[in-house]
Amino acid sequence: MPQDVGERTAWTFNQCGILELTRTWGAEEDAGFKYHDGNAQPQGLGHICFSVPGLAAAINWFDTNEVTYVKRPEQGKMRNVAFIKDHDGHWIEIVQANLLEQLGQP
């Protein structure tokens, strides 16, 4: 793992990963059950993140397919990081690892 903060950030987001999606069995029979997106109060797990090989190509695809943004990569303090919403309103972070060396640095 690189010692330099920027290099380590890019290295971290370039690792292979596994995303496990689980189902809450029996929830469909509980009239009071509802999913929480993690971003509304009370806040909890807020989002998942996917590292893509080409952020510009991903943004082009999102724009073409009218995906809803929380934040575009050129907006705010976190440049080269996008947040989109899935059809249920859950946030998904989209990054390109080699563009993140300055993330979180002044």
Side-chain angles (χ1 to χ4, degrees):
M1 180 176 0
Q3 294 300 311
D4 176 78
V5 173
E7 290 176 15
R8 185 171 55 243
T9 300
W11 178 87
T12 299
F13 280 95
N14 200 35
Q15 299 306 298
C16 293
I18 296 173
L19 174 64
E20 177 184 11
L21 302 175
T22 60
R23 182 171 189 269
T24 307
W25 292 102
E28 68 278 359
E29 298 171 11
D30 180 354
F33 180 84
K34 68 176 193 171
Y35 287 99
H36 187 279
D37 69 11
N39 291 303
Q41 294 298 327
Q43 289 183 318
L45 173 65
H47 67 276
I48 60 174
C49 178
F50 290 100
S51 181
V52 297
L55 184 60
I59 296 303
N60 184 52
W61 190 93
F62 298 147
D63 289 343
T64 300
N65 290 279
E66 300 180 357
V67 171
T68 301
Y69 287 90
V70 175
K71 179 201 157 315
R72 295 183 63 92
E74 67 274 7
Q75 295 174 321
K77 294 179 182 178
M78 290 179 18
R79 301 295 178 166
N80 297 315
V81 175
F83 283 89
I84 59 173
K85 288 186 179 182
D86 72 7
H87 67 280
D88 291 321
H90 298 104
W91 293 17
I92 303 170
E93 183 177 2
I94 308 295
V95 300
Q96 180 179 327
N98 66 338
L99 297 178
L100 298 179
E101 289 188 0
Q102 299 302 313
L103 186 66
Q105 297 187 45

